[in-house]
Amino acid sequence: MGDIGQTVAKIADSFGANIYYYSTLGKNLRQKYPSVYMKETLEKSDIISINAPCNENTQDMIGEVEIQKMKSTTIVVNIARRVKLK
């Protein structure tokens, strides 16, 4: 729940959405919104917004197995960004 994620959450919250998030690193856990496990995120979400940098923790985060766990109506918005790894 970095700066971009917080901004996306605030916008969605203004539309009355129930907001929760999954942290790939277990950081930023003291947020206004509850942190949940990936399994719960996949199973409960109507919309999943991915706002993370592409790195070893996020590469291939959503694949066929994860998509099978989602509701058939879930919308995935991937605005993750690719970063140069050292």
Side-chain angles (χ1 to χ4, degrees), residues 32-64:
K32 175 181 177 182
Y33 309 106
S35 174
V36 297
Y37 291 106
M38 176 63 106
K39 181 179 185 293
E40 185 176 357
T41 300
L42 297 171
E43 293 172 349
K44 289 176 49 174
S45 298
D46 293 315
I47 301 171
I48 296 174
S49 177
I50 303 170
N51 313 296
C54 182
N55 59 37
E56 63 277 356
N57 294 312
T58 60
Q59 182 74 33
D60 302 321
M61 184 168 62
I62 303 288
E64 186 175 344

Side-chain angles (χ1 to χ4, degrees), residues 15-42:
F15 285 98
N18 294 320
I19 309 296
Y20 45 90
Y21 70 99
Y22 168 73
S23 173
T24 58
L25 296 175
K27 293 182 178 180
N28 298 325
L29 297 178
R30 293 184 180 178
Q31 299 293 328
K32 175 181 177 182
Y33 309 106
S35 174
V36 297
Y37 291 106
M38 176 63 106
K39 181 179 185 293
E40 185 176 357
T41 300
L42 297 171

